[in-house]
């Protein structure tokens, strides 16, 4: 509009140019803009669901972790890996997988292990940073070395921030995903879509072992057994699958109703 109005007064058909410009503006901002909500509703487009996104990320991380562990075992067989290095790498891979699943669970029992780790490690990084700054001030480190060290600490701290805040937008109900999301798994397709919440919210196997360190709860959709998740030290839900071959479990956490097939590693 400003460009059209800047035309000289004697410009040929200047009034027509101004009219067309105004019509285009009204048409694009007015007609299309006002009709867009109606089009969205008619098309059935839903807004992004942070919890569903987190669920998909957790499933993808599970698959990526399995592939990484398989490759690690292949390297161990081909070249050999020192036991302490092998175990450390394996723990790091499992940590990333568990962190993704823990973002989905209820926080009523307190902080998940990955969040506790992120909070404590952040404090430790701050302590390390002040030591490096002190060494720079005393002349034992030059500025270039300090910048390299701080960059490493900043990168680690940024990753911890993701772990600490990624679950904040994930609260809310997570319905069972559409059937088309798991067409290759008959077990999930035929399993019950009713995923009860654990009541009482306890892992009975943990209680029987005189422990209360479970993180999240899972329920077997075949027999109703409630066990703790893989982020929990005892991993009773996974143990139940290996003992009974009951393939499909669901999240027994409040506000969640997703299901998981142990055999095919399919989410539904």
């Amino acid at each position: 509009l400003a460009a059209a109005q800047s035309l000289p007064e004697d410009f040929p058909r200047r009034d027509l140019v101004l009219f067309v410009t105004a019509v285009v503006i009204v048409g694009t901002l007015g007609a299309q803009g006002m009709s867009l909500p109606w089009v969205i509703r008619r098309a059935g487009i839903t807004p992004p669901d942070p919890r569903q996104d987190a669920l998909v990320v957790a499933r993808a991380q599970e698959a990526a972790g399995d592939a990484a562990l398989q490759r690690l075992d292949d390297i161990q067989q081909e070249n050999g890996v020192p036991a302490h290095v092998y175990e450390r790498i394996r723990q790091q891979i499992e940590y990333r997988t568990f962190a993704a699943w823990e973002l989905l669970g209820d926080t009523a029992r307190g902080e998940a292990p990955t969040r506790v780790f992120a909070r404590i490690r952040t404090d430790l990084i701050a302590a390390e940073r002040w030591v490096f700054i002190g060494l720079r001030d005393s002349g034992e480190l030059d500025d270039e070395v300090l910048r390299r060290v701080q960059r490493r600490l900043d990168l680690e701290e940024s990753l911890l921030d993701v772990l600490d805040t990624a679950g904040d937008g994930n609260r809310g109900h997570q319905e069972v995903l559409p059937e088309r999301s798991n067409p290759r798994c008959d077990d999930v397709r035929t399993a019950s879509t009713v995923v009860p919440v654990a009541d009482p919210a306890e892992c009975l196997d943990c209680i029987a072992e005189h422990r209360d360190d479970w993180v999240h709860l899972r329920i077997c959709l075949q027999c109703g057994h409630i066990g703790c998740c893989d982020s929990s030290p005892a991993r009773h839900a996974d143990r139940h699958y290996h003992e009974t071959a009951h393939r499909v479990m669901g999240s027994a956490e409040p506000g969640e109703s997703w299901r998981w097939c142990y055999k095919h590693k399919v989410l539904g």
Side-chain angles (χ1 to χ4, degrees):
L1 181 61
Q5 289 179 331
S6 68
L7 295 174
E9 292 289 340
D10 58 350
F11 188 84
R13 300 190 178 183
R14 182 176 184 274
D15 291 341
L16 178 61
V17 172
L18 290 173
F19 175 74
V20 171
T21 302
V23 169
V24 171
I25 292 174
V26 172
T28 54
L29 297 183
Q32 292 184 7
M34 294 176 62
S35 63
L36 186 58
W38 178 84
V39 172
I40 291 174
R41 288 193 296 270
R42 292 287 296 178
I45 300 173
T46 57
D49 185 344
R51 182 171 287 272
Q52 181 166 334
D53 291 344
L55 190 59
V56 174
V57 168
R59 166 65 187 95
Q61 184 61 60
E62 178 89 19
D66 289 344
L69 290 174
Q70 180 60 54
R71 179 56 184 155
L72 178 62
D73 290 339
D74 292 342
I75 294 174
Q76 171 77 319
Q77 294 178 0
E78 294 169 2
N79 305 317
V81 179
H84 65 284
V85 175
Y86 175 89
E87 188 59 30
R88 182 176 179 181
I89 295 175
R90 188 177 187 87
Q91 289 177 355
Q92 289 177 339
I93 295 171
E94 291 180 343
Y95 172 80
R96 286 197 297 270
T97 301
F98 297 159
W101 286 110
E102 285 175 14
L103 293 176
L104 296 165
D106 183 27
T107 58
R109 284 181 49 81
E111 288 182 292
T114 51
R115 285 206 170 198
V116 175
F117 174 87
R119 176 170 52 80
I120 294 176
R121 183 62 187 132
T122 299
D123 288 343
L124 299 181
I125 288 175
E128 293 179 38
R129 183 177 284 112
W130 281 112
V131 170
F132 288 123
I133 292 175
L135 292 174
R136 187 277 311 273
D137 293 343
S138 66
E140 297 183 52
L141 286 179
D142 61 32
D143 286 338
E144 180 60 31
V145 174
L146 178 64
R147 280 194 292 270
R148 290 203 302 267
V149 171
Q150 288 210 336
R151 175 173 172 77
R152 175 178 57 80
L153 293 176
D154 290 344
L155 288 172
E156 182 178 357
E157 191 172 37
S158 66
L159 293 175
L160 294 173
D161 287 341
V162 171
L163 285 177
D164 193 44
T165 61
D168 293 341
N170 295 337
R171 296 181 178 85
H173 188 65
Q174 170 58 51
E175 299 289 351
V176 175
L177 295 182
E179 186 174 290
R180 64 178 178 272
S181 66
N182 44 61
R184 295 172 299 167
C185 180
D186 291 334
D187 296 307
V188 171
R189 187 180 298 111
T190 57
S192 172
T193 58
V194 178
V195 185
V197 174
D199 185 19
E202 299 174 338
C203 176
L204 298 181
D205 292 332
C206 283
I207 292 176
E209 297 174 5
H210 306 290
R211 59 193 310 161
D212 62 353
D213 53 356
W214 64 85
V215 179
H216 300 141
L217 298 175
R218 309 293 183 238
I219 183 169
C220 174
L221 295 183
Q222 183 167 338
C223 69
H225 172 271
I226 295 175
C228 51
C229 65
D230 282 356
S231 296
S232 307
R235 304 185 184 183
H236 283 118
D238 183 75
R239 190 184 306 179
H240 175 75
Y241 161 67
H242 287 97
E243 291 175 351
T244 64
H246 294 172
R247 299 175 179 177
V248 183
M249 67 84 174
S251 173
E253 295 292 317
E256 296 182 17
S257 56
W258 51 268
R259 303 165 299 168
W260 172 261
C261 175
Y262 278 104
K263 179 180 179 181
H264 301 106
K265 298 187 182 299
V266 168
L267 189 66

